Amino acid sequence: MMNYHPFVIPFTVGALFLFGVVFYKFYAWIAALDRKQKFMVKQNIFSFKTIRAIGEIFREALVHRNIYRKNPVLGYMHMSLAFGWFLLIVVGKIKASLYAGTFFEPPWLGIFFNFFAVDGHAFSHSEMLTFTMDFLLLIILSGLALAIIKRVKSSLLGMRKTTKHSRFDRIALSSLWFIFPLRLMAESTTASLHGNGGFLTNSVGHLIPSTIAPYAELPLWWAYSISLFVFFVALPYSRYMHIPTEVVLIFLRNWGADTGEQLSGYTDIQLNSCSRCGICIDACQLNFAAGISNVQSVYFVRDARYKTLSDEVVNNCLMCGRCSNECPVGLELTLVRQQFRNKQEIPGKFYYEYTEPVESKAGVDVIYYAGCMTHLTPSIIISMKKIFEAAGVNYWFMDEDKGVCCGRPLRQQGFIQQSKNLVIKNSRIINSARAKLLVTSCPICYKSFREEYNLNLPVMHHTEYIEGLLADGRITLNASNVTVVYHDPCELGRGANIYEQPRNILRNFSLIESNYEKENSLCCGGSLSDAILDLRLQLKIRDHALGELTKDKPDVLVTACPLCKKSFVHGNKARVMDIAEIVAGNLKVIASKKRPVRKEELQLV
Amino acid sequence: MKDLGFSISQSRTIDLDKSDLSAYRRVVEKVPSAKLCLMCGACTATCTARNHTDFNFRKVHLLFRRGQFEGLAEELDKCMLCGKCRLVCNRGVNTRAIIYNMRIILENLNYKSIK
Ligand code: SF4
Ligand code: SF4
Ligand code: SF4
Ligand code: SF4
Ligand code: SF4
């Protein structure tokens, strides 16, 4: 048979196996999507979102633009391997089709083209295609060289840490290292015998002694085919499964799939989309400030995927979101980790029946909910009262005496059902007041109200609220030249996207920037989400963060979270104030009293 | 028996040799700071749950330590895990983590984690 040789068998068998396993996995995951996710898919599959997803697949799965932005060398490495190989397959296919004169030539012809195409018969664009193929091979080999350097010495690529490997990873990785050098050698040997290569393979071919070439040719093609076989068979069980899976992930994400509360097929898809690039390791304070290096998202994802998760890996995490923010694949790492914390619900069981019902106060405009933590920083409460009074707000301090927790701390530890019980209790009180706005001082409560509650009024964190009061001229501040640095609390910044409001307020002072602004802000270490972290290490994280934030010796370190304030105050490095305190301390005039909340303020939400 | 107007209360002896102390060892393994607690009660004074009902971290901690598990699971369910106590404790005891772990140990059935 023409264009056939037994050495194509390993490649063909491996490729068939790969397609079988990958499609079986895709099918199983999609079948295991939850109801809401399936609904979103059905809603959006025939919409513009699909086209957008295809664009994103090109940018991220092939060109790896996100990695490129974070680290150009690493980005080049990923791009050359992924995009280079993809093009090699596509161009190889075109070339083979043109050569065979049919679109339905055997699938291996493109892969082993140079071995078969030795008769020198002409076909269109052959020179250009041969050049392209050699060029692509060169690009891939350069990426491979970087990959090998990264393995040996990751710091050369600007990374502090690189990931450890599982058995399948090692098999897949070793075969991947061999594939392209073997291809180069096989093509070059054939080129030296038949003179059919391009600029690269031909020149390498000249280096091969003509006495060896005839004996080396077939073994090299066999080895090339076998290395492909090994890679294909190991792929679905190795980190490289991320290559096909990321495509599915991007589609689902664009169609609006939500990670959700419970494990689902979408969880598996996210777990399998991690390329183990290790970027999240460098982002994690547990790593660079506390020296813990076995719980970061990459390890969590790996262990979850191989079902070897330990209690420690699930729970030793601040849930600060720094890793999700950096992850080039855009995995919702904290939400997925949360899924593994969530406990099963027990139908019909109710908790916290002991709480005494709080009568809500009727006829107020604003409900103020300080939050449990804020009660430990009474200065924030005093400041908020002062601000409310200065602005003449008709408010009711809901948890002044007998507050109930918002429920988020329970949720963070996976006690979903208990958390929901508290949500019901608080919702009843809040909704029955029929007020116009709910203001809270704690970012944790704020996030909880926004995401878990079904309220009949908008919610604001006090940063948003104060910004609105200032913008409306209901309160004014004395000019001040106090230098301040602002620390974005995790739950308010990365958690709720509130970045500009506090900065707008602080423009009334002399605001200086730290190296950790906005999305890149550090966690104070006091996160409730980590119930494992040793106090000593927690303080290390705090001191590192505090050191970074006070580098330029600001007069005041301002934050907007009672927990952050509490953490930093004990660090004794700088004066620490909540944003409400610094505002209350600089109030100028008492503006018009008892004005109802204006509509524009409500629209801020 | 003659009514003397008072009764003899039940023996309150706790025989530590007979109690199951292994559970507490597991907690200490997970939260070493448990050993630092000096039962001062500051945590209880600030407790959100305590504000509504008779719940006492110091008490549940002590009961668990001595292996007196009767009714303890329900008692632990009263805690809202709000974490105030942890911030108040000046011995640096991770009270919240202790409660979390006591819950998991006592109610393996109720709080089945997903495997
Ligand atoms: S989780 Fe994201 S950042 Fe971390 S290794 Fe995986 S892909 Fe990279
Ligand atoms: S959420 Fe924060 S603490 Fe947890 S793994 Fe990510 S970076 Fe580290
Ligand atoms: S206290 Fe620290 S850990 Fe908690 S939300 Fe605020 S910034 Fe994040
Ligand atoms: S945990 Fe801390 S605050 Fe509570 S009783 Fe023990 S030492 Fe006191
Ligand atoms: S975490 Fe539990 S014990 Fe501690 S203060 Fe909150 S409700 Fe009380």
Side-chain angles (χ1 to χ4, degrees):
Chain A
M1 198 170 120
M2 219 183 71
N3 297 339
Y4 171 79
H5 189 282
F7 73 66
V8 305
I9 292 175
F11 158 77
T12 314
V13 171
L16 283 175
F17 176 84
L18 174 66
F19 278 107
V21 174
V22 165
F23 281 108
Y24 170 74
K25 287 195 175 209
F26 283 0
Y27 171 77
W29 292 335
I30 289 169
L33 290 180
D34 69 24
R35 271 218 332 275
K36 211 170 134 210
Q37 290 157 350
K38 282 185 179 152
F39 175 78
M40 295 309 283
V41 172
K42 281 191 202 121
Q43 280 280 299
N44 294 317
I45 191 162
F46 297 113
S47 76
F48 176 67
K49 295 188 175 121
T50 306
I51 298 168
R52 206 176 55 194
I54 294 171
E56 193 184 329
I57 287 167
F58 179 77
R59 281 196 313 274
E60 300 308 337
L62 290 174
V63 185
H64 290 93
R65 197 187 49 167
N66 272 340
I67 303 187
Y68 189 80
R69 273 195 199 145
K70 304 236 152 82
N71 182 336
V73 185
L74 197 64
Y76 175 79
M77 181 191 111
H78 279 256
M79 187 199 71
S80 58
L81 283 171
F83 198 38
W85 199 357
F86 174 76
L87 286 179
L88 203 62
I89 293 169
V90 174
V91 178
K93 161 80 192 157
I94 296 172
K95 199 176 167 193
S97 294
L98 287 171
Y99 171 80
T102 161
F103 187 72
F104 300 102
E105 84 286 351
W108 57 77
L109 184 57
I111 309 294
F112 304 103
F113 187 80
N114 285 14
F115 178 80
F116 296 112
V118 289
D119 56 1
H121 90 240
F123 54 99
S124 57
H125 305 295
S126 64
E127 266 182 31
M128 190 264 285
L129 288 169
T130 306
F131 173 82
T132 313
M133 292 294 277
D134 270 29
F135 180 70
L136 290 171
L137 188 59
L138 189 63
I139 299 276
I140 297 178
L141 287 168
S142 68
L144 201 63
L146 285 176
I148 293 170
I149 294 174
K150 174 176 170 230
R151 262 299 119 203
V152 181
K153 206 158 170 41
S154 55
S155 60
L156 285 183
L157 291 199
M159 295 186 71
R160 273 173 280 198
K161 281 257 157 63
T162 189
T163 50
K164 297 164 199 140
H165 279 296
S166 75
R167 183 156 28 101
F168 280 109
D169 284 341
R170 226 167 284 132
I171 296 173
L173 184 71
S174 330
S175 53
L176 184 62
W177 284 10
F178 281 114
I179 289 173
F180 294 101
L182 280 173
R183 176 173 177 142
L184 174 72
M185 290 317 293
E187 288 189 341
S188 302
T189 316
T190 304
S192 83
L193 289 172
H194 304 279
N196 66 343
F199 71 92
L200 177 67
T201 42
N202 228 327
S203 349
V204 179
H206 282 309
L207 301 178
I208 298 171
S210 54
T211 44
I212 299 179
Y215 303 102
E217 187 189 21
L218 267 179
L220 280 168
W221 285 104
W222 268 103
Y224 173 47
S225 179
I226 290 170
S227 64
L228 282 170
F229 169 82
V230 174
F231 183 68
F232 288 165
V233 171
L235 183 142
Y237 310 100
S238 74
R239 64 202 300 212
Y240 300 102
M241 185 63 195
H242 82 90
I243 302 167
T245 315
E246 197 184 345
V247 173
V248 185
L249 173 77
I250 293 176
F251 274 119
L252 283 169
R253 191 164 55 209
N254 277 282
W255 291 333
D258 232 0
T259 301
E261 220 163 66
Q262 301 300 339
L263 298 172
S264 69
Y266 192 46
T267 311
D268 284 316
I269 293 173
Q270 296 203 52
L271 294 179
N272 281 277
S273 295
C274 163
S275 64
R276 302 209 195 133
C277 65
I279 286 179
C280 53
I281 307 178
D282 283 349
C284 180
Q285 284 168 271
L286 290 179
N287 169 34
F288 67 78
I292 302 173
S293 56
N294 59 337
V295 300
Q296 280 72 21
S297 286
V298 59
Y299 303 120
F300 158 73
V301 167
R302 180 197 60 193
D303 292 357
R305 188 179 154 196
Y306 295 126
K307 304 207 169 16
T308 53
L309 261 184
S310 71
D311 212 35
E312 191 197 350
V313 172
V314 177
N315 289 306
N316 197 358
C317 165
L318 304 158
M319 295 285 203
C320 66
R322 281 178 59 83
C323 51
S324 329
N325 183 53
E326 292 284 313
C327 174
V329 186
L331 302 179
E332 297 190 306
L333 297 162
T334 47
L335 297 184
V336 174
R337 201 186 289 246
Q338 180 65 51
Q339 289 183 320
F340 282 86
R341 289 186 179 186
N342 290 349
K343 322 278 185 274
Q344 285 173 4
E345 301 190 16
I346 309 160
K349 187 153 177 159
F350 291 100
Y351 297 86
Y352 311 109
E353 301 215 293
Y354 60 78
T355 57
E356 298 163 29
V358 177
E359 277 297 315
S360 58
K361 191 166 157 193
V364 294
D365 294 322
V366 175
I367 302 177
Y368 175 56
Y369 180 95
C372 316
M373 283 300 167
T374 315
H375 280 279
L376 290 178
T377 49
S379 53
I380 299 181
I381 294 180
I382 294 169
S383 307
M384 282 308 290
K385 284 183 171 171
K386 216 167 143 189
I387 293 169
F388 281 129
E389 262 144 43
V393 179
N394 175 16
Y395 76 103
W396 169 51
F397 189 171
M398 171 179 157
D399 59 341
E400 179 154 31
D401 183 30
K402 282 214 181 298
V404 172
C405 176
C406 70
R408 189 163 168 81
L410 278 165
R411 176 173 281 272
Q412 288 169 326
Q413 243 54 248
F415 298 105
I416 301 292
Q417 189 174 11
Q418 284 89 330
S419 170
K420 284 180 180 162
N421 284 178
L422 291 185
V423 168
I424 293 172
K425 281 180 194 299
N426 278 320
S427 303
R428 243 183 240 144
I429 303 170
I430 296 168
N431 285 338
S432 66
R434 309 224 158 270
K436 298 190 185 107
L437 180 69
L438 173 64
V439 176
T440 176
S441 284
C442 172
I444 306 172
C445 311
Y446 175 64
K447 204 164 151 62
S448 178
F449 286 139
R450 258 189 22 171
E451 289 173 7
E452 316 300 340
Y453 283 64
N454 199 352
L455 299 174
N456 61 7
L457 78 182
V459 190
M460 280 187 182
H461 182 257
H462 69 229
T463 42
E464 297 173 276
Y465 184 66
I466 294 172
E467 192 215 18
L469 293 178
L470 282 168
D472 274 9
R474 294 182 61 187
I475 53 173
T476 27
L477 296 181
N478 290 317
S480 165
N481 57 2
V482 172
T483 52
V484 295
V485 162
Y486 179 66
H487 163 68
D488 288 279
C490 314
E491 296 268 78
L492 195 64
R494 282 183 294 269
N497 236 324
I498 304 243
Y499 294 116
E500 290 311 326
Q501 294 88 333
R503 289 181 170 75
N504 288 342
I505 300 172
L506 292 175
R507 277 190 236 296
N508 290 298
F509 303 85
S510 167
L511 180 61
I512 43 183
E513 283 197 359
S514 71
N515 289 330
Y516 293 89
E517 294 278 320
K518 300 190 178 175
E519 287 86 356
N520 189 30
S521 80
L522 296 165
C523 176
C524 65
S527 169
L528 283 182
S529 284
D530 198 327
I532 286 198
L533 191 63
D534 188 71
L535 183 67
R536 199 171 38 87
L537 297 177
Q538 184 191 322
L539 298 185
K540 267 190 167 174
I541 293 177
R542 177 201 69 191
D543 289 338
H544 167 267
L546 206 48
E548 289 294 337
L549 289 166
T550 54
K551 245 188 191 146
D552 292 331
K553 310 232 175 313
D555 297 326
V556 187
L557 172 59
V558 179
T559 183
C561 168
L563 206 47
C564 298
K565 184 184 167 191
K566 207 95 187 129
S567 302
F568 286 147
V569 160
H570 294 306
N572 292 330
K573 265 249 175 66
R575 177 122 194 257
V576 185
M577 284 174 114
D578 188 276
I579 197 156
E581 292 172 68
I582 197 164
V583 166
N586 275 274
L587 282 175
K588 198 182 209 168
V589 285
I590 295 186
S592 58
K593 287 231 171 205
K594 301 263 180 258
R595 232 174 55 196
V597 183
R598 292 226 322 250
K599 238 203 180 141
E600 298 81 32
E601 290 168 40
L602 299 185
Q603 281 162 357
L604 279 171
V605 179
Chain B
M1 208 162 107
K2 201 164 186 184
D3 185 2
L4 298 174
F6 60 86
S7 60
I8 299 164
S9 47
Q10 294 276 312
S11 160
R12 297 266 292 127
T13 322
I14 301 156
D15 187 348
L16 287 179
D17 289 334
K18 283 193 193 135
S19 347
D20 175 12
L21 304 180
S22 66
Y24 190 65
R25 252 176 253 132
R26 273 160 70 198
V27 170
V28 175
E29 215 173 90
K30 299 247 179 203
V31 195
S33 60
K35 286 179 293 194
L36 301 177
C37 173
L38 44 74
M39 305 276 161
C40 69
C43 48
T44 308
T46 193
C47 175
T48 309
R50 170 77 192 188
N51 200 8
H52 292 263
T53 186
D54 181 16
F55 175 75
N56 189 327
F57 172 75
R58 199 176 41 155
K59 190 164 112 196
V60 290
H61 186 193
L62 192 62
L63 288 174
F64 195 95
R65 187 144 113 181
R66 293 172 177 162
Q68 296 172 289
F69 302 131
E70 213 186 307
L72 200 52
E74 289 69 39
E75 193 64 18
L76 287 171
D77 278 345
K78 291 181 179 171
C79 163
M80 302 183 192
L81 287 185
C82 71
K84 268 174 99 178
C85 47
R86 191 193 87 182
L87 288 178
V88 164
C89 176
N90 46 29
R91 297 281 293 161
V93 179
N94 196 339
T95 48
R96 185 169 175 269
I98 296 174
I99 296 184
Y100 173 79
N101 281 294
M102 292 197 295
R103 272 190 182 180
I104 299 290
I105 291 172
L106 285 184
E107 283 202 274
N108 277 331
L109 292 177
N110 280 359
Y111 300 129
K112 226 181 281 159
S113 317
I114 320 143
K115 272 278 136 20

